[in-house]
């Protein structure tokens, strides 16, 4: 990030749990954990919108002088990844490696600041095993026998599930009704009808080895692999090394993923270890439907880049919508962003222009108020219009400050 005069204001973001805006930091240091990709369809515009949105938070926080510790995971072992690898006939490890590298390339092209740490689920399995053993020993988890028809080594050990009944705060992240929870749990990777569970909403912590599935040493748990939610709980608590202030991701992660992972952190380390704020980005649609692999309606950053589209135009198209808003990707959205980028670059190339001190203040105010990128873009548009019309064009430093603030705060290279 380029340095700017003085510091901005510590940003607030909308907390999905309390339904109000909350400061992302209570002191000089803050911790941010954003749930990463499952690498089998990277990087579509839904992914890009999420990570560009939280990139604004990182930039605004650091501009405000906050010592922000940022961690992001990669879910490099999960059922959707295995299913996709089987469908296209490749090794799941090769698919994960290829798609993770593509994601990193796309993030660099979009000028998304890298987290302090990227942490894979596979490398975290020993930590997960220890955490699940701790939950079992404390009576907060239980084993579910595997079916007689399943080929499992040491079948008496069974799969391991968390008992949500032991946590009176379960449900306080999403504030959903049980009916809503059951609906989303079934839609988003849960197994409410799995036989032997005490509660339909109990989440999987450790899945025993099945025929042809990859598995790892689980010590007393038996060979297998971790559930989804426990991975993020363990990675966040282990690697943030700062207060767990904000957990972020797409709005489809509110339940079950953020509800469950927060529950796991709370049961393992106490209520004070759980995130203070749960921030969520909106969903990106294409042709009237949520962008998803199953629907086959993905618009990929890599394909647009390969077609010669400037990544800065893609970024501006994403910033044109508020990070929390559900929105749609359209050819017109991209065309408008390309025109905006051309105007901004023309104004930034001027030898002199309007003083940009007020513009810096306006953009900072917009980002401090729940990352209002549309308002920030409109402020820059207004300055650009004056600059191109040669209004108040006596400030030689105006275009330079404009370039610096657009680069540092909005991540757009002119």
């Amino acid at each position: 990030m380029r340095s700017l005069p003085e510091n901005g204001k510590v940003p607030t973001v909308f907390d999905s749990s309390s339904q109000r805006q909350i400061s992302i930091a209570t002191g000089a240091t803050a911790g941010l954990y954003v749930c990463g990709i499952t690498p089998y369809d990277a990087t579509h515009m839904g992914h890009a919108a999420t990570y560009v949105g939280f990139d604004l938070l990182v930039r605004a926080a650091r501009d405000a002088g906050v010592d922000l510790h940022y961690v992001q995971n990669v879910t490099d072992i999960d059922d959707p990844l295995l299913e996709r690898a089987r469908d296209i006939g490749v090794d799941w490890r090769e698919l994960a490696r290829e798609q993770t590298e593509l994601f990193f390339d796309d993030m660099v092209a979009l000028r998304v600041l890298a987290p302090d740490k990227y942490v894979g689920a596979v490398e975290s399995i020993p930590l997960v095993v220890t955490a699940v053993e701790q939950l079992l020993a404390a009576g907060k988890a239980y084993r579910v026998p595997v079916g007689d028809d399943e080929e499992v080594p040491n079948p008496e050990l069974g799969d391991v599930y968390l008992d949500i009944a032991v946590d009176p705060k379960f449900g306080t992240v999403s504030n959903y009704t049980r009916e809503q929870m059951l609906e989303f749990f079934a839609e988003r990777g849960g197994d409410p009808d799995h036989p032997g569970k005490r509660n339909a909403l109990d989440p999987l912590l450790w899945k025993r080895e099945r025929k042809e599935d990859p598995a790892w040493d689980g010590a007393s748990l038996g060979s297998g692999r971790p559930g989804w939610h426990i991975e993020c709980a363990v990675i966040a608590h282990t690697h943030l090394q700062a207060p767990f202030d904000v957990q972020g991701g797409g709005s489809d992660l509110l339940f079950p993923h953020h509800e469950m992972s927060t529950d796991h952190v709370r049961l393992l380390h106490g209520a004070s270890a759980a995130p203070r704020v749960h921030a969520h980005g909106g969903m990106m649609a294409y042709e009237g439907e949520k962008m998803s692999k199953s629907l086959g309606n993905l618009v990929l950053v890599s394909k647009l880049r390969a077609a010669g589209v400037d990544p800065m135009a893609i970024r501006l198209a994403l910033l044109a919508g508020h990070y929390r808003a559900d929105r749609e990707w359209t050819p017109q959205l991209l065309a408008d962003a390309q025109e905006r980028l051309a105007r901004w670059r023309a104004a930034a190339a001027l030898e002199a222009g309007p003083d940009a001190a007020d513009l810096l203040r306006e953009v900072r105010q917009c980002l401090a108020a729940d990352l209002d990128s549309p308002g920030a873009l409109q402020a820059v548009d207004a300055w650009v219009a004056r600059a191109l019309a040669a209004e108040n064009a006596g400030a030689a430093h105006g275009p330079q400050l404009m370039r610096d603030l657009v680069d540092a705060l909005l991540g757009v290279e002119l």
Side-chain angles (χ1 to χ4, degrees), residues 159-219:
D159 300 321
V160 182
Y161 282 83
L162 188 88
D163 186 355
I164 63 169
V166 304
D167 184 5
K169 291 191 174 182
F170 179 81
T172 57
V173 173
S174 65
N175 294 306
Y176 287 159
T177 65
R178 180 172 174 82
E179 289 70 26
Q180 289 173 309
M181 289 182 184
L182 287 169
E183 177 184 351
F184 288 131
F185 194 57
E187 290 177 0
R188 299 170 180 173
D191 56 355
D193 299 322
H194 189 76
K197 291 171 59 174
R198 296 175 183 173
N199 188 311
L201 291 171
D202 286 349
L204 178 70
L205 296 173
W206 185 256
K207 182 177 182 179
R208 291 301 319 287
E209 177 182 359
R210 261 63 166 186
K211 185 179 180 181
E212 299 181 358
D213 268 5
W216 288 264
D217 179 13

Side-chain angles (χ1 to χ4, degrees), residues 53 75 90 93 121 154 175 208 256 284 310 319 345 356 360 380:
T75 306
V90 301
R93 288 160 292 202
N154 304 114
N175 294 306
R208 291 301 319 287
M284 182 67 73
D310 191 322
L319 293 177
R345 283 180 170 163
L360 174 59
V380 178

Side-chain angles (χ1 to χ4, degrees), residues 47-80:
H47 294 135
T50 294
Y51 300 114
V52 167
F54 285 102
D55 185 58
L56 290 180
L57 187 153
V58 174
R59 291 171 180 274
R62 290 179 176 162
D63 176 61
V66 176
D67 181 14
L68 184 73
H69 296 251
Y70 179 17
V71 174
Q72 188 179 129
N73 74 306
V74 179
T75 306
D76 52 0
I77 181 65
D78 201 15
D79 286 339

Side-chain angles (χ1 to χ4, degrees), residues 261-284:
S261 60
T262 299
D263 170 76
H264 296 358
V265 171
R266 205 162 42 225
L267 291 177
L268 283 164
H269 307 291
S272 63
R276 290 190 305 111
V277 182
H278 291 89
H280 296 96
M283 295 291 98
M284 182 67 73

